[in-house]
Amino acid sequence: MAKLLVKLQRYFRRKPVRFFTLLALYLAAGSLVFLHSGFSGEPTVPGSQRSPGAGEGPGLPYLGVMQLSRGFKAAVTMPEGGRRHGLRFKSTSKEPVERGKAGDYGSTRSRALRSRSGREKEEDRARYIGCYVDNTRRRTLRGVSFFDYKKMTVFRCQDNCAERGYLYAGLEFGAECYCGHKVQASNASESECNMECKGERSNTCGGVNRLSIYRLELAQESARRYGSAIFRGCFRRPDNVSIALPVSQLMLNMSVDKCVDFCTEKEYPLSALAGTTCRCGFPTTLFTLHEREDEQLCAQKCAGEEFESCGTAEYLLVYQTQVQDNRCMDRRFLPTRAKQLVALASFPGAGNTWARHLIELATGFYTGSYYFDGSLYNKGFKGERDHWRSGRTICIKTHESGQKEIESFDSAILLIRNPYKALMAEFNRKYGGHIGFAAHAHWKGKEWPEFVANYAPWWATHTLDWLRYGKKVLVVHFEDLKRDLFVQLQRMVGLLGIAACQDRLLCVEGQKDGNFKRSGLRKLEYDPYTPEMRKMISGYIKMVDTALKLRNLSGVPDDYYPR
């Protein structure tokens, strides 16, 4: 063997061109094998984060290396606060069924048998009602829709539709999910719903222009929706109502459904019921939807539906339709290179991606990242591919916390979140993806205690480092941003040097959730924090609270101390 190796070595020394040719062919062949095995569907690269450098604070954990993800997810989410059936109806929330197992295609008959067995077990949560015809021009289910061409499951579709308050969830083409309150098509043969779900072998997810439809028993009450509309509240009629809500229609047989459908047809995002008059418009400075009134002031029965409320001439009952408010949807790169680098800094799990979504809608400019996350790029964060020093983005996402990294930025928005919530959110992301959930085994196994031991100190040192080394730091608490989005977003946009249009900010309020809001239906049934964990985390909270107050800032919110 040794003689053979010596002969090969001498041969390639005499003819190096052949050596390099063979090497190139070997690398090319390896690359083709890798591409064939790795890129099924849309390849994405989740965010890689660097391990702490020598200059970073003590106790900072290693965040992992860049890994290849072979899934493509595109979820369309809707704002919170929707309400089903006006003021008078209450729904009984039931959690959707358990997630199925992943797999490949099998026979139509065996899939149907397995699906039927699974459906019988899930009857109390979601009931399969059949295979239906769908039309790309006029959908059978006309609510929210989303697609996942790698990991779609029946559970995931049901979960997303139920969380948004819809009555029906339909799956099509193995990877598409549609939600709605009405099934507006005819039945098809069960044999035509013959495509397996991309993310599970045991269930059928429709077919070509065919929907496998489930009736959800029933969507959670907190969604508060009527049909595909979201309940916004009861409001006093604006002074210049004909300007604030420019389109109106007299409806003697008024119902919520009729008014919502009318405004949807007219392509307005707001539907306001005023007794027997239906009004449509946009949220503007004339009608901000910031000052809600007691809902009983709007509790006048609809002429066309006695169990619904339709408001009065003075107090309007407002719903948000499925029409997208496009006043804040345009985004682009900065026209000239930014003179300063602004960080959007946060501990992982503190809502950085959500804050980026809000900033992009409010300013009209893309945000960048210290890392590269292919799944975020595929979701529309086009600044993700730019180098963080390119100067083409309005601010830069970062989780770094070392002195050298912090001093690379000229100013920063520091987003802080309750550590109990942030740790759980990051643990879910780490083991379940951006909108997924960690498995029960991860919570009960050794992963969770090790995660808390490593990441809890980092939650504190991250904030302390930015307060110490940051040149110009605006502190924003995640809880305040969620509670008072309009005011907090104005502060953030102000630091970025952008004069935000009021109407644009109002548009953002109506589309605040973005694509990375986790479903509220998959919450743990127990508290994962042990007394020892609580004691440790409480100490870190007090440390951060003291540091904020020493800089004449408000301390951490009261709900950081729930124990």
Side-chain angles (χ1 to χ4, degrees):
M1 187 67 178
K3 291 181 179 179
L4 178 63
L5 291 175
V6 170
K7 287 182 179 179
L8 285 173
Q9 186 179 20
R10 289 176 179 173
Y11 176 77
F12 284 125
R13 279 183 179 175
R14 290 195 302 268
K15 299 182 179 180
V17 174
R18 292 189 179 182
F19 171 75
F20 287 112
T21 302
L22 286 172
L23 180 62
L25 288 171
Y26 173 78
L27 293 174
S31 299
L32 288 172
V33 171
F34 172 75
L35 288 170
H36 183 268
S37 63
F39 288 83
S40 173
E42 293 285 341
T44 63
V45 183
S48 70
Q49 297 160 349
R50 308 183 318 169
S51 58
E56 297 185 11
L60 302 188
Y62 174 63
L63 293 184
V65 297
M66 188 175 291
Q67 298 176 338
L68 181 70
S69 168
R70 295 187 291 178
F72 175 77
K73 305 174 184 177
V76 180
T77 63
M78 294 297 297
E80 295 178 324
R83 178 182 186 157
R84 174 170 150 62
H85 296 310
L87 294 175
R88 296 165 179 265
F89 280 49
K90 292 185 178 179
S91 62
T92 55
S93 171
K94 291 190 178 181
E95 189 176 1
V97 298
E98 293 300 318
R99 186 184 300 271
K101 296 180 179 179
D104 301 318
Y105 285 93
S107 70
T108 303
R109 176 175 174 78
S110 62
R111 280 200 306 273
L113 290 173
R114 287 194 297 268
S115 296
R116 189 177 299 117
S117 175
R119 289 165 193 154
E120 289 171 356
K121 295 178 182 178
E122 298 160 357
E123 281 284 315
D124 59 331
R125 295 177 178 178
R127 179 167 55 87
Y128 179 73
I129 63 170
C131 182
Y132 284 79
V133 176
D134 195 24
N135 188 315
T136 55
R137 294 185 177 181
R138 191 166 181 80
R139 290 292 180 185
T140 301
L141 297 174
R142 299 174 189 172
V144 167
S145 62
F146 75 99
F147 315 102
D148 189 337
Y149 292 99
K150 189 65 180 178
K151 298 180 181 179
M152 178 60 74
T153 65
V154 171
F155 167 80
R156 186 174 175 212
C157 181
Q158 292 173 350
D159 188 33
N160 276 272
C161 293
E163 190 243 343
R164 291 166 177 80
Y166 291 103
L167 286 175
Y168 297 97
L171 296 108
E172 181 174 332
F173 203 63
E176 301 174 4
C177 176
Y178 297 89
C179 311
H181 262 282
K182 295 178 181 178
V183 179
Q184 304 181 67
S186 57
N187 283 91
S189 169
E190 284 296 319
S191 62
E192 295 179 36
C193 284
N194 54 12
M195 296 185 70
E196 273 192 347
C197 303
K198 295 293 186 182
E200 60 183 344
R201 177 179 299 178
S202 58
N203 275 313
T204 302
C205 284
V208 179
N209 292 328
R210 295 296 183 266
L211 279 167
S212 296
I213 297 183
Y214 293 81
R215 179 180 172 87
L216 305 174
E217 305 288 343
L218 189 65
Q220 65 180 22
E221 183 177 356
S222 62
R224 301 180 69 190
R225 294 171 187 271
Y226 182 85
S228 57
I230 305 164
F231 180 72
R232 296 297 299 270
C234 177
F235 300 90
R236 185 186 293 273
R237 188 185 71 174
D239 292 335
N240 298 313
V241 67
S242 60
I243 299 175
L245 300 167
V247 174
S248 63
Q249 176 75 41
L250 182 66
M251 295 182 178
L252 298 178
N253 199 26
M254 171 73 86
S255 70
V256 176
D257 203 9
K258 289 186 174 121
C259 188
V260 167
D261 287 347
F262 172 74
C263 293
T264 300
E265 185 180 337
K266 296 294 183 182
E267 297 189 344
Y268 283 95
L270 292 184
S271 171
L273 291 82
T276 56
T277 302
C278 175
R279 298 185 179 277
C280 314
F282 293 91
T284 65
T285 51
L286 295 175
F287 195 46
T288 62
L289 303 184
H290 287 166
E291 298 178 4
R292 293 178 62 153
E293 302 288 347
D294 187 334
E295 292 182 10
Q296 290 304 312
L297 296 173
C298 290
Q300 176 174 299
K301 290 183 181 180
C302 294
E305 181 57 68
E306 65 172 316
F307 295 110
E308 294 177 358
S309 296
C310 280
T312 68
E314 291 298 318
Y315 292 95
L316 312 182
L317 206 59
V318 180
Y319 287 82
Q320 184 170 319
T321 72
Q322 283 286 293
V323 176
Q324 183 169 270
D325 189 344
N326 289 318
R327 295 175 300 167
C328 58
M329 297 308 293
D330 59 301
R331 287 171 290 173
R332 58 195 175 98
F333 289 103
L334 292 173
T336 58
R337 183 183 174 90
K339 296 180 180 178
Q340 293 191 328
L341 291 175
V342 183
L344 178 59
S346 74
F347 174 78
N352 199 303
T353 300
W354 180 52
R356 289 178 68 183
H357 164 75
L358 297 176
I359 289 170
E360 290 194 1
L361 293 186
T363 65
F365 296 113
Y366 290 121
T367 58
S369 178
Y370 198 82
Y371 321 101
F372 170 70
D373 189 329
S375 66
L376 293 181
Y377 179 83
N378 288 333
K379 293 284 187 175
F381 290 95
K382 300 304 181 186
E384 194 75 16
R385 275 190 176 173
D386 268 37
H387 188 274
W388 66 279
R389 285 186 177 274
S390 71
R392 296 207 306 161
T393 53
I394 194 69
C395 63
I396 311 297
K397 164 190 174 176
T398 180
H399 298 312
E400 301 300 309
S401 55
Q403 179 178 356
K404 181 180 177 181
E405 286 77 10
I406 292 173
E407 290 179 347
S408 301
F409 294 95
D410 300 293
S411 58
I413 297 169
L414 177 59
L415 190 62
I416 305 174
R417 187 180 186 184
N418 183 327
Y420 291 101
K421 300 290 181 64
L423 287 169
M424 292 178 70
E426 176 59 10
F427 189 72
N428 276 321
R429 186 207 65 79
K430 186 178 178 69
Y431 290 100
H434 279 289
I435 56 173
F437 292 85
H440 183 76
H442 292 134
W443 292 102
K444 287 295 188 180
K446 65 179 182 179
E447 292 91 345
W448 172 242
E450 290 178 355
F451 178 86
V452 173
N454 288 327
Y455 276 61
W458 184 23
W459 177 85
T461 57
H462 182 276
T463 298
L464 297 177
D465 280 359
W466 277 95
L467 292 175
R468 181 179 180 184
Y469 302 119
K471 298 171 186 175
K472 182 182 178 183
V473 179
L474 172 68
V475 174
V476 176
H477 292 284
F478 174 88
E479 293 74 18
D480 293 339
L481 182 61
K482 193 174 179 181
R483 182 168 43 245
D484 195 0
L485 185 143
F486 191 85
V487 171
Q488 296 300 324
L489 194 53
Q490 276 186 316
R491 294 177 64 221
M492 295 163 70
V493 171
L495 180 77
L496 298 172
I498 301 293
C501 170
Q502 296 284 308
D503 285 352
R504 189 170 184 115
L505 291 176
L506 291 168
C507 169
V508 176
E509 284 189 309
Q511 307 186 60
K512 61 186 178 183
D513 279 350
N515 291 336
F516 287 92
K517 176 179 169 56
R518 277 190 182 87
S519 163
L521 298 181
R522 288 280 313 274
K523 293 182 179 178
L524 286 177
E525 296 179 356
Y526 60 91
D527 189 339
Y529 292 101
T530 64
E532 293 77 16
M533 291 177 183
R534 295 184 194 287
K535 183 177 180 181
M536 174 181 65
I537 294 171
S538 292
Y540 292 133
I541 292 174
K542 291 176 183 176
M543 190 185 302
V544 169
D545 184 62
T546 301
L548 290 170
K549 289 177 178 176
L550 285 174
R551 288 160 178 78
N552 295 319
L553 300 169
S554 60
V556 299
D558 292 338
D559 60 5
Y560 280 30
Y561 298 99
R563 325 300 174 194

